[in-house]
């Protein structure tokens, strides 16, 4: 909120809530003065309009911006750019640690420029939740949680000391310690205000977060979305999020879920529906009388999966269910009353039966049409009805097995054996693995562990299975990673935690485990058997991400499923089971046990939730644990305004981004004589680009760590080493499933150095090009950079020397992050692609028009010289969409821009 508010529409009003009198900027008054219809305005636009009213300063927000958004709400489309000032920022530790490293480095750079380091602070409330660092090393035992937490602190002590320093040294910065919960569930249950009050002014709780699933908070009526760590850092430093006025798609929900259908089934259905529609870059808003029967936990589950269908946000308006949920989760009653009073006064409160807002397009979904579902084997929107899952597996196993057969093969490229098996002995038990064996079954991720209904359903299935004497198959690595400690408490109170343990599901940690790739190693005999027979092993997880190569290096097929279905697949031990006709197991009496025998009724689930989930759980659990455990409190806390970098650390190092920064930016120059570092196909995700998961022992990152005295058993994950740019740049484009067309038939982070033709790691090639003074670019297909909002996908790209990425289309966050690191995103013109233009990647590339003609949306010239000497020239579009993005690019990145702005402001004062 800016200090100088023009309020040119005279909308400032007062609101009495109990004994408090609050100021607010009235949306009804704005629409009265502009002649618009508030009731027909999408709720997301109402929230953006309030944000503009409250921040109107004539510079970053003008009267014209407000008028343009009012007209857009009335159906008049416009390309106008507007500013969005989030009330707060949330970070998880994988992206939060590098953000803190950048803040510490900016303090050093500020001192170098002659400024005051302590001026570098978050200007808005910023919460970092440590939830991405725990790994499933131990499972299936009562002490698995304790042992995994011990290992977490052993691996991450250096990182956590940095965060302790930040919590003490940075203003407006709060850290939620390990083992409290997953960021999005903690945000939903504890951090979200829904309505803020600051200096007597009431306004909506809005946010951006460094995880793409930040959108989960949309389920509670809070507008927010995921941004890259780079963009989030700028927001923390007072920079607005600039965006073009978006299209808004409405999804009308009607009816109620049928018995047997869960929130997970609903969200996978919606993910497929919206992905097919094409909603990338759009705002999605849910409405209709189907909301009357949809619990808030189900709404949050849907909003959580927003990145999987591609929209910027997926908002559910505030209504009676929101108020009920705030009370259920133990929010202060005065806060709850303020939320309701403010939402009603502003026209932000959904009323059943009210006329629908005016949307750019409306999709319909009858909740009764939703059936039990899984999604896989590679993408969240590859939905398969459970009744068809066994047949769908048979349709894809051949392709998956052939890919597995090719891996590591010599020139003969053997044909896959679809009947391949591998005998395994673990301790006293012997069993046989085959294609489709489920080796990981994980109840994990914020998507579902925030939802008491599906968690209770999983517990009830486990209870019924345990009563019949069933347990998970011995080759299945089972894990239960609740999204918060509240989940454990209500499962305990219901007597269902013991049932889950009885069939193999013990608590392994409170964090994002399997879904983020922290599944931990399989037992070595199982892992070796999979590799030996080149089997297509399967994971089933209650998560939101199942991209290829993400979950485990031993697993090629990954399926998303509801928690009760995760339990069912653990019991069966295979993905090709037909639950309709085949039993999940046989009881000790030899009788077959079918899934229908184990599945609880909707009434059983509802009664368990009502009886066991109450405000006292949320109050007591968060009060007891937000201060941290003994490990956390005993960590040493570095002192000082500037962080004391340890030159021996392999976890936290001062990045080189600001080493040569001057008081003003260097001129933008054309890109001449560039080579392609990689040529990539469609749908390359940030999981393919950004370092994630385990560090392979034969990788450039491993060589670096070994040279610095780190043994392979202590490598930890890329995620845990995001504060060390040396490790991260070596792991960029190193995913084992990356397919670079410069090295056809090869999987992994390899490329061909040109013109020598030497095949080597992408990192080694980039370093050779750097020695030769050769600039680099990447060529890609559609939806480049989709997936998680990984800032290192952009940081690593820049540090490898890549100056531009030319693609058919970009994912929103990654495009923004590339600009934030000074990398130019270029887009082929409609109908054109690498293939249609005949580009092999072996050419020399010149990009001209940057020095004089670069502007938002401008076309620039791409010239190529082929190996045979022929030349060609094309036009490509610069995907710098706004003037603010152009400024960021001119400065070499968003943080350079902010640093120079703050230094200039200090000099002016």
């Amino acid at each position: 909120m800016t200090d100088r508010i023009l309020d040119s529409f005279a909308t400032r009003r007062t609101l009495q809530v109990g004994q408090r009198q609050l100021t607010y900027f009235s949306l009804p008054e704005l629409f009265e003065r502009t002649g618009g219809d508030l009731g027909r305005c999408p709720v997301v636009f109402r929230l953006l309009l309030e944000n503009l009213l409250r921040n109107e300063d004539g510079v970053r927000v003008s009267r014209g911006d407000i008028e343009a958004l009012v007209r857009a709400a009335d159906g008049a489309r416009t390309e106008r750019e507007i500013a969005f000032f989030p009330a707060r920022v949330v970070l998880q530790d994988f992206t939060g640690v590098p953000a803190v490293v950048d803040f510490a480095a900016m303090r050093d750079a500020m001192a170098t420029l002659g400024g005051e380091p302590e001026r570098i602070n978050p200007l808005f409330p910023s919460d970092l939740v440590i939830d991405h660092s725990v790994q499933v090393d131990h499972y299936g035992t009562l002490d698995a949680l304790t042992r995994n937490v011990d290992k977490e602190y052993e691996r991450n002590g250096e990182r956590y000391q940095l965060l302790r320093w930040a919590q003490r040294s940075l203003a407006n910065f709060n850290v939620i310690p390990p083992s409290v919960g997953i960021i999005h569930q903690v945000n939903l249950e504890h951090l979200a205000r829904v309505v803020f009050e600051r200096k007597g002014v009431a306004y909506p709780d809005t946010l951006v977060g460094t995880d793409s699933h930040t959108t989960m908070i949309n389920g509670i009526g809070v507008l927010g979305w995921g941004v890259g760590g780079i963009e989030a850092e700028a927001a923390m430093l007072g920079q607005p999020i600039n965006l073009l006025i978006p299209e808004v798609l409405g999804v009308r929900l009607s009816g109620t879920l049928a018995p047997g259908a869960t929130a997970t089934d609903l969200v996978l259905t919606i993910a497929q529906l919206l992905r097919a529609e094409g909603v990338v870059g759009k705002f999605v808003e849910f409405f209709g009388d189907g909301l009357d029967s949809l619990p808030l936990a189900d709404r949050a589950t849907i909003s959580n999966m927003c990145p999987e269908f591609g929209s910027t946000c997926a908002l559910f308006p505030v209504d009676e269910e929101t108020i009920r949920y705030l009370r259920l989760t133990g929010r202060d009653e005065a806060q709850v009353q303020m939320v309701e009073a403010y939402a009603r006064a502003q026209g932000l409160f959904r009323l059943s039966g009210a006329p629908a807002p005016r949307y750019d397009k409306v999709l319909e979904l009858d909740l009764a049409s939703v059936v039990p579902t899984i999604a896989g084997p590679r993408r969240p929107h590859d939905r398969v009805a459970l009744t068809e899952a066994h047949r769908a597996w048979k349709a894809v196993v051949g392709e998956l097995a052939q890919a597995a057969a090719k891996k590591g093969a010599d020139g003969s490229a053997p044909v896959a054996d679809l009947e391949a098996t591998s005998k395994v002995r673990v301790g006293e038990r012997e069993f046989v693995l085959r294609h489709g064996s489920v080796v990981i079954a994980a109840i994990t991720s914020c998507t579902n562990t925030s939802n008491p209904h599906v968690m209770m359903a999983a517990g009830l299935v486990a209870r019924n299975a345990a009563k019949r004497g069933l347990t998970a198959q011995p080759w299945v690595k089972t894990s239960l990673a609740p999204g918060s400690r509240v989940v454990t408490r209500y499962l305990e109170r219901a007597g269902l935690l013991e049932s889950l343990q009885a069939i193999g599901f013990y608590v392994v940690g409170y964090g994002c485990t399997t879904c983020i790739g922290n599944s931990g190693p399989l037992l070595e005999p199982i892992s070796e058997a999979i590799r030996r027979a080149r089997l297509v092993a399967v994971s089933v997880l209650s998560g939101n991400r199942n991209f290829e190569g993400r979950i485990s290096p031993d697993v090629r097929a990954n399926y998303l499923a509801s928690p009760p279905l995760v339990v069912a697949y653990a019991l069966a031990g295979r993905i090709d089971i037909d639950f309709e006709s085949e039993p999940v197991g046989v009881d000790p009496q030899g009788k077959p046990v079918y899934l229908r025998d184990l599945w609880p009724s909707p009434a059983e689930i509802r009664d368990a939730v009502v009886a066991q989930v109450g405000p006292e759980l949320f109050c007591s659990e968060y009060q007891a644990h937000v201060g941290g455990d003994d490990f956390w409190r005993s960590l040493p806390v570095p002192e000082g305004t500037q962080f004391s970098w340890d030159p021996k650390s392999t976890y936290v190092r001062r990045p080189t981004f600001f080493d040569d920064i001057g008081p003003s930016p260097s001129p933008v120059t054309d890109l001449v004589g560039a080579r392609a570092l990689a040529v990539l196909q469609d749908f390359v995700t940030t999981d393919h680009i950004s370092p994630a998961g385990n560090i392979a022992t034969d990788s450039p990152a491993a060589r670096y760590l070994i040279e610095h005295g780190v043994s392979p058993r202590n490598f930890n994950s890329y995620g845990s080493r995001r504060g060390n740019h040396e490790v991260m740049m070596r792991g960029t484009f190193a995913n084992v499933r990356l397919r670079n067309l410069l090295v056809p038939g090869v999987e992994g982070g390899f490329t061909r150095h040109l013109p020598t033709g030497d095949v080597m790691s992408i990192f080694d090639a980039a370093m050779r090009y750097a020695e030769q003074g050769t600039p680099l670019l990447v060529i890609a297909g559609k939806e480049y950079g989709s997936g998680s909002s990984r800032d290192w996908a952009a940081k690593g790209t820049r540090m490898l020397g890549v100056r531009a990425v030319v693609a058919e289309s970009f994912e929103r966050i990654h495009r923004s992050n590339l600009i934030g690191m000074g990398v130019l995103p270029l887009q082929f013109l409609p109908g054109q692609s690498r293939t249609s233009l005949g580009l092999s990647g072996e050419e020399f590339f010149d990009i001209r028009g940057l020095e004089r003609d670069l502007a938002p949306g401008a076309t620039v010239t791409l010239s190529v010289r082929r190996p045979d000497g022929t030349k060609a020239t094309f036009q490509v579009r610069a995907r710098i969409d706004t003037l603010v993005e152009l400024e960021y690019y001119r400065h070499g990145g968003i943080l350079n821009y902010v640093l120079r702005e703050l230094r200039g402001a200090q000099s002016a004062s």
Side-chain angles (χ1 to χ4, degrees), residues 259-276:
T262 69
T264 312
D265 306 318
L266 171 59
V267 74
L268 293 176
T269 301
I270 289 174
Q272 184 185 52
L273 172 70
L274 293 181
R275 176 63 72 171

Side-chain angles (χ1 to χ4, degrees), residues 142 186 199 336 395 412 622 690 700 703 707 732 748 767 804 865 909:
L142 277 173
V186 173
K199 297 180 179 179
V336 176
S412 61
Y622 280 105
S690 179
R703 293 202 308 267
E707 289 168 3
T732 302
M767 295 303 100
R865 177 162 51 90
S909 61

Side-chain angles (χ1 to χ4, degrees), residues 23-96:
T23 298
Y24 70 105
F25 292 84
S26 171
L27 291 171
E29 190 63 34
L30 171 68
F31 278 82
E32 178 70 25
R33 291 178 178 273
T34 57
D37 184 349
L38 177 61
R40 298 301 308 281
C41 176
V43 176
V44 289
F45 275 5
R46 301 178 206 185
L47 293 167
L48 290 175
L49 278 166
E50 189 283 335
N51 201 276
L52 293 175
L53 288 174
R54 185 167 34 85
N55 290 285
E56 184 193 1
D57 60 0
V59 179
R60 294 182 293 183
V61 178
S62 69
R63 179 186 178 99
D65 295 334
I66 299 168
E67 292 172 334
L69 188 52
V70 171
R71 290 194 298 272
D74 198 37
R77 302 306 310 157
T78 177
E79 290 293 309
R80 193 181 188 101
E81 173 191 334
I82 59 172
F84 172 65
F85 294 83
R88 59 189 177 96
V89 175
V90 294
L91 312 97
Q92 39 93 332
D93 54 308
F94 270 17
T95 47

Side-chain angles (χ1 to χ4, degrees), residues 248-251 277 282 359-363:
V248 183
L249 183 142
V251 179
E277 171 64 26
K282 299 178 183 179
Y359 298 107
D360 293 292
K361 188 172 184 178
V362 172
L363 298 181

Side-chain angles (χ1 to χ4, degrees), residues 329-481:
T329 50
R331 263 57 171 220
D332 180 74
E333 182 60 28
Q335 175 71 18
V336 176
Q337 292 178 12
M338 181 175 69
V339 169
E340 182 167 4
Y342 178 84
R344 289 185 182 278
Q346 286 284 54
L348 296 171
F349 198 92
R350 185 188 76 88
L351 299 174
S352 182
R358 179 187 295 107
Y359 298 107
D360 293 292
K361 188 172 184 178
V362 172
L363 298 181
E364 307 274 351
L365 179 64
D366 181 357
L367 298 178
S369 68
V370 175
V371 298
T373 290
I374 63 174
R378 294 191 183 96
R379 300 180 302 181
H381 53 278
D382 291 337
R383 185 180 73 89
V384 181
L386 188 63
T387 53
E388 298 298 314
H390 61 292
R391 281 186 281 268
W393 169 254
K394 292 176 182 177
V396 300
V397 64
E399 173 199 346
L400 294 168
Q402 184 61 35
K406 289 180 179 178
K407 183 180 179 183
D410 56 20
S412 61
V415 176
D417 178 6
L418 295 185
E419 303 301 322
T421 61
S422 191
K423 187 176 292 186
V424 184
R425 186 176 185 85
V426 177
E428 298 301 315
R429 307 187 74 170
E430 193 171 83
F431 45 83
V432 175
L433 297 180
R434 52 179 51 87
H435 294 304
S437 291
V438 173
V439 296
I440 293 176
I443 300 175
T444 182
S445 126
C446 47
T447 312
N448 290 290
T449 60
S450 65
N451 192 317
H453 302 275
V454 293
M455 294 302 290
M456 286 292 196
L460 290 167
V461 169
R463 181 200 66 185
N464 296 337
K467 286 181 177 179
R468 295 293 300 270
L470 303 185
T471 187
Q473 295 295 340
W475 56 84
V476 183
K477 182 174 185 177
T478 51
S479 60
L480 170 60

Side-chain angles (χ1 to χ4, degrees), residues 566-643:
V566 171
V567 172
Y569 277 110
L571 297 171
R574 58 190 178 95
I575 196 66
D576 60 351
I577 183 173
D578 179 0
F579 285 118
E580 291 283 307
S581 62
E582 297 181 85
V584 295
V586 178
D587 69 16
Q589 287 73 44
K591 295 180 179 180
V593 181
Y594 293 87
L595 182 58
R596 57 181 172 268
D597 301 328
L598 307 179
W599 203 268
S601 69
E604 283 183 279
I605 299 170
R606 183 179 59 252
D607 291 347
V609 172
V610 171
Q612 306 302 338
V613 183
E616 70 283 357
L617 291 185
F618 294 89
C619 293
S620 62
E621 289 304 304
Y622 280 105
Q623 184 176 1
H625 296 289
V626 292
D629 54 20
D630 292 340
F631 282 110
W632 180 257
R633 291 190 295 270
S634 65
L635 285 174
V637 184
E639 303 285 346
T641 301
Q642 292 174 247
F643 184 69

Side-chain angles (χ1 to χ4, degrees), residues 134-141 144 148 155 431 433 437-444 472-480 503-506 508 513-514 517-524 526-527 530 538-541 551-555 566-567 569-571 573 694:
V134 63
Q135 298 185 43
V136 188
D137 293 291
H138 304 281
Y139 68 99
T141 61
N148 287 331
R155 289 169 169 152
F431 45 83
L433 297 180
S437 291
V438 173
V439 296
I440 293 176
I443 300 175
T444 182
Q473 295 295 340
W475 56 84
V476 183
K477 182 174 185 177
T478 51
S479 60
L480 170 60
I503 65 167
F505 285 89
Y506 289 79
V508 296
T513 54
T514 303
N518 285 353
S519 58
L522 300 179
L523 294 177
E524 182 53 34
I526 293 175
S527 183
I530 292 169
V538 176
S539 75
V540 181
L541 61 151
I551 304 304
S552 167
D554 292 323
V555 174
V566 171
V567 172
Y569 277 110
L571 297 171
N694 296 324

